[in-house]
Amino acid sequence: RLAQALRSAIVSGIFFLFGGILALGPFLANENFNAASRTSMLVAFLALTCFSFLKAKMTTQRTWEVIFRYFLMAAGVLAGSWLVAKLF
């Protein structure tokens, strides 16, 4: 069980870093903040859709339910980020 937990933690960490790099990449490649933010959002939502689709297929869940659930979670993160930016 410990080996499985460690493997799961390492895989989660790698994909967490990969997701962060995907979102940060457009800002490093483009000095125009507005264009970079649009590109970053597009890349993040495309990656989220692909991940949700793969997860649904691997876990034999309904595809649209998984995609919708992850989009709701992403919308919550986006709303929280927007709220923090407005407050501070």
Side-chain angles (χ1 to χ4, degrees):
R1 289 195 177 260
L2 180 60
Q4 183 180 2
L6 286 173
R7 187 184 76 213
S8 181
I10 290 169
V11 169
S12 294
I14 288 169
F15 280 99
F16 180 80
L17 287 173
F18 180 67
I21 291 169
L22 277 178
L24 183 63
F27 292 99
L28 297 175
N30 191 348
E31 292 182 12
N32 182 348
F33 180 80
N34 290 331
S37 62
R38 284 191 301 271
T39 304
S40 178
M41 290 288 290
L42 177 65
V43 168
F45 276 103
L46 286 174
L48 181 66
T49 303
C50 290
F51 171 77
S52 301
F53 181 79
L54 290 173
K55 181 176 180 177
K57 292 301 178 188
M58 291 172 69
T59 59
T60 64
Q61 298 180 44
R62 294 183 188 167
T63 304
W64 291 110
E65 289 179 5
V66 174
I67 291 172
F68 184 69
R69 185 171 56 231
Y70 275 94
F71 274 7
L72 282 178
M73 183 176 59
V77 169
L78 183 62
S81 300
W82 178 80
L83 184 62
V84 167
K86 288 296 179 185
L87 291 174
F88 300 103

